[in-house]
């Protein structure tokens, strides 16, 4: 299959950056903004991605669909697109059915479930896992791919992203994403949890001083906790998917069930509404942790009342 027309669902923080790079690479990139937020609309316009208000028309004309959104919505989107694929199949004539690359942070088992849905609708499913931040001048974003149709995705290699086919069955790309994110995002959750717990106990200043003296590099890494308010909402479902991956592999799911809890606490805190472009850059790490600690105290009080 020759890929020229690409549909991105949805062009959020990662998706709009991918779309911008693919447009620069000469691909025709479109999306459907029906029902999307004003922020997503703004990001889409900034990237120059074309809006196709009719999802049926978008899917009918696409060679490749990139599903890039929060894990909680991955199954629902696949089901919606599968129904459109069935509905629009007659109008495609003898043309090849679209390929559907699920690029979401989901477990191998979730990827296999979506594979069955898309394949039953006549589509070509690609298991994909994104590692790295949104593509840009300095970011080397990797798209791992697996499954029988992985070669389709390799046509995007070098156009702002690096495509790394893994070969083998569906689930391998999702698996490497889960293991990688379990460390990177899991560590962020641990940092936030440790700082928050210390603050609740009145030991925040002392803990930071100890890290400054004995683990300066670790303390530097902990600085990323200051911007977790912009990401936590997206990582709640991802932690559940990682926990499911670990459990199926015979490894404890408890690590990331705990990470899910801390990200939910952050997302529901007074600054959980922040996004990358609205994070308060003047707020100190200590001030951020104090906000999380108060949210933790409030949760404890609510539990005791209940």
């Amino acid at each position: 299959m020759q890929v020229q027309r690409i549909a991105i669902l949805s062009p959020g923080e990662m998706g709009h950056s991918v779309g911008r790079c693919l447009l620069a690479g000469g691909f025709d990139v479109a999306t459907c903004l029906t029902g999307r937020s004003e922020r997503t609309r703004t990001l889409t316009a900034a990237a120059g991605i074309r809006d196709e208000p009719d999802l049926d028309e978008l899917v009918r004309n696409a060679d490749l669909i990139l599903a890039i959104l929060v894990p909680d919505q991955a199954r629902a989107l696949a089901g919606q697109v599968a129904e459109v694929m069935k509905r629009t199949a007659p109008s495609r004539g003898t043309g090849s059915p679209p390929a559907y690359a699920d690029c979401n942070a989901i477990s191998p088992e979730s990827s296999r479930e979506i594979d069955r849905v898309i394949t039953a609708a006549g589509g070509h499913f690609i298991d994909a896992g994104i590692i790295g931040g949104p593509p840009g001048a300095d970011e080397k974003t990797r798209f791992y791919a697996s499954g029988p149709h992985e070669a389709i995705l390799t046509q995007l290699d070098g156009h702002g992203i690096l495509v790394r086919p893994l070969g083998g069955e569906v689930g391998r790309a999702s698996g490497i994403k889960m293991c990688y994110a379990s460390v990177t995002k899991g560590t962020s959750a641990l940092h936030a949890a440790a700082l928050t717990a210390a603050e609740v106990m009145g030991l925040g200043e002392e803990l930071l001083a100890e890290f400054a003296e004995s683990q300066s590099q670790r303390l530097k890494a902990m600085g990323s906790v200051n911007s977790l308010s912009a990401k936590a909402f997206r990582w709640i479902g991802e932690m559940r998917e990682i926990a499911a991956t670990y459990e199926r592999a015979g490894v404890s799911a408890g690590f990331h069930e705990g990470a899910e809890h801390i990200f939910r606490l952050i997302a529901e805190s007074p600054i959980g509404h922040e996004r990358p472009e609205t994070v308060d850059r003047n707020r100190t790490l200590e001030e951020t942790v104090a906000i999380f600690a108060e949210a933790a105290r409030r949760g404890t009080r609510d539990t005791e009342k209940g």
Side-chain angles (χ1 to χ4, degrees), residues 149-225:
H149 304 294
E150 64 177 19
I152 296 172
L153 199 64
T154 63
Q155 296 179 53
L156 311 188
D157 185 61
H159 298 288
I161 62 176
L162 303 175
V163 180
R164 295 181 173 171
L166 292 172
E169 63 185 15
V170 165
R172 287 170 56 78
S174 294
I176 195 169
K177 165 66 175 180
M178 291 287 93
C179 292
Y180 184 89
S182 74
V183 175
T184 56
K185 294 168 186 174
T187 299
S188 293
L190 179 59
H191 287 166
L195 293 173
T196 300
E199 182 66 20
V200 168
M201 293 185 289
L203 294 168
E205 184 178 340
E206 291 81 357
L207 181 65
L208 288 173
E210 176 57 39
F211 273 114
E213 181 178 344
S214 62
Q215 299 248 2
S216 59
Q217 287 302 112
R218 178 78 63 185
L219 180 60
K220 182 179 179 181
M222 284 180 165
S224 65
V225 169

Side-chain angles (χ1 to χ4, degrees), residues 41-215:
R41 291 176 179 276
T42 300
L43 292 173
T44 300
I49 298 171
R50 176 169 53 83
D51 176 28
E52 172 55 71
D54 188 334
L55 182 61
D56 282 30
E57 195 68 17
L58 179 72
V59 172
R60 179 188 294 111
N61 294 325
D63 300 316
L64 171 64
I65 300 167
L66 300 179
I68 308 176
L69 67 165
V70 294
D72 290 345
Q73 298 174 16
R75 291 177 181 81
L77 177 64
Q80 184 180 14
V81 171
E83 289 303 312
V84 175
M85 284 182 177
K86 295 174 185 176
R87 197 161 55 240
T88 60
S91 61
R92 295 184 70 97
T94 58
S96 299
Y100 185 95
D102 189 292
C103 309
N104 304 304
I106 58 175
S107 70
E109 185 55 36
S110 293
S111 186
R112 286 188 281 268
E113 290 175 14
I114 293 175
D115 176 20
R116 290 190 285 271
V117 170
I118 295 298
T119 299
H124 297 317
F125 181 79
I126 304 165
D127 174 31
I130 303 175
I131 292 181
D138 300 320
E139 184 64 49
K140 301 298 182 184
T141 308
R142 282 85 67 205
F143 275 54
Y144 284 88
S146 65
H149 304 294
E150 64 177 19
I152 296 172
L153 199 64
T154 63
Q155 296 179 53
L156 311 188
D157 185 61
H159 298 288
I161 62 176
L162 303 175
V163 180
R164 295 181 173 171
L166 292 172
E169 63 185 15
V170 165
R172 287 170 56 78
S174 294
I176 195 169
K177 165 66 175 180
M178 291 287 93
C179 292
Y180 184 89
S182 74
V183 175
T184 56
K185 294 168 186 174
T187 299
S188 293
L190 179 59
H191 287 166
L195 293 173
T196 300
E199 182 66 20
V200 168
M201 293 185 289
L203 294 168
E205 184 178 340
E206 291 81 357
L207 181 65
L208 288 173
E210 176 57 39
F211 273 114
E213 181 178 344
S214 62
Q215 299 248 2

Side-chain angles (χ1 to χ4, degrees), residues 216-257:
S216 59
Q217 287 302 112
R218 178 78 63 185
L219 180 60
K220 182 179 179 181
M222 284 180 165
S224 65
V225 169
N226 216 15
S227 60
L228 282 182
S229 53
K231 308 167 186 176
F233 79 102
R234 290 193 286 111
W235 292 355
I236 295 170
E238 187 167 345
M239 294 305 105
R240 283 199 296 271
E241 294 290 329
I242 292 172
T245 302
Y246 269 40
E247 185 171 40
R248 192 171 181 86
V251 180
S252 174
F255 289 115
H256 297 91
E257 290 172 345

